[in-house]
Amino acid sequence: MQNFDVVMVGAGAAGLFCAGVAGQRGLKVLLLDHSEKIAEKIRISGGGRCNFTNRDATPAQFLSENPHFCRSALSRYTPQDFIALLQRYNIAFHEKHKGQLFCDRSAEDVINMLVAECDLGGVTRWQPCSVKDVALEADGSYRLQTDRGPVSASQVVIATGGLSIPKIGATDFGYRIAQQFGLRLVPVRPGLVPMTFDGEGWTPYAGLSGLALPVLIEAGPPDATPKQRKKATVFAEDLLFTHRGLSGPAVLQISSFWREGQAIRINLAPGTDLAGQLLRAKAVSRKLIANELATLVPSRLADAWVSRDATWQKPVGDATDKALETLAAQLADWPLVPTGTEGYKKAEVTLGGVDTRDLSSQTMESKQAGLYFIGEVVDVTGWLGGYNFQWAWASAYACAQALVARQVALADH
């Protein structure tokens, strides 16, 4: 039996960072992961450059059944704190837009930094190494059966992530451990995920695959009232038509707010007075409506849109004002109901998870003493744009401080 102060299960962003901080504060830490390669989510994020935080992160960009839960951790470890760590390692980075920070060179720079932080803390790392069982001993410590034999620790941290991207090793291990110790779960679903459409209603748009354009997008009930829509979260991002439906930052963002059976609504020409422009063209132009529309939105979209209605397949000068106003109104407020999403295989995150009512927002310790949950396994999910990594760093840091304080208390006791 090998003994440690802390066993950290999961060597992703949260687990690596928490292990390094706890190790450097003097704790004897074992970090293990069932995958041969650690931190695959860091490696593939941001197109291989890792969107490691968002300069402007606040609790407002996080979804949870308890939206206030993330405040404490986020306030105690900020984007500026993580930036300072990168600067200590001379890792060059840049801001793309909307506060999103990426490595100049490669996501490997962040992984190497986190491993170096673990090495500085004398962290023992085992991988690949699976945990077969976690049991509570009579003295309040934990005994874990692993591929490399039994280990014991006074504290255990679950940093195993969610169900998104199973091909890089995602499992439900963290949820199973939570349930084993009587913790509640918020139902999970894919987040930051492309949406799918099928049936005849989608036929006019099936040929638009590859087309991208800036839009405004929101989600809500198909029959949402103006008052309901006023409260809806609206994103101004790029939309991408795919073979199976819609993707791009706009759709990934709104997917976290969307529920099955709801509509999404898209303004395909934000900031453009479509009706005014088309009515002005009517007075002077002999071009087809599609050709006039193509000066205001991408031509492939214009062609697909007018193909839906015979009243739009004529010269703009021959159209009624009502036909042009209807065309403009539909482009500026396109309601459609997705048939589903691309699921966990394409989702960047998992919504839901360990219920925050059973965790301390200060320490990430669960109501089961000495058992902690951090990162994506918890019911806290950020928007697209570096927010989920910031939650990983912040929850890990809060947990590491608590691990040290509790270990000191146990030693004094």
Side-chain angles (χ1 to χ4, degrees), residues 278 289 309 311-312 314 319-329:
L278 290 172
I289 292 173
D309 191 324
T311 63
W312 300 334
K314 56 176 70 174
T320 65
D321 286 4
K322 186 175 181 210
L324 295 177
E325 285 164 353
T326 301
L327 170 62

Side-chain angles (χ1 to χ4, degrees), residues 76-96:
R76 286 181 291 140
Y77 194 85
T78 66
Q80 288 66 39
D81 291 320
F82 195 74
I83 289 166
L85 179 62
L86 263 76
Q87 288 170 333
R88 284 218 309 275
Y89 281 82
N90 296 313
I91 296 172
F93 61 90
H94 59 279
E95 184 173 333
K96 271 203 172 165

Side-chain angles (χ1 to χ4, degrees), residues 8 14-24 27 29-31 117-118 121 123 396 400:
M8 190 87 47
L16 277 165
F17 188 53
C18 190
V21 175
Q24 289 179 48
L27 298 191
V29 180
L30 169 64
L31 172 64
E117 286 286 287
C118 285
V123 173

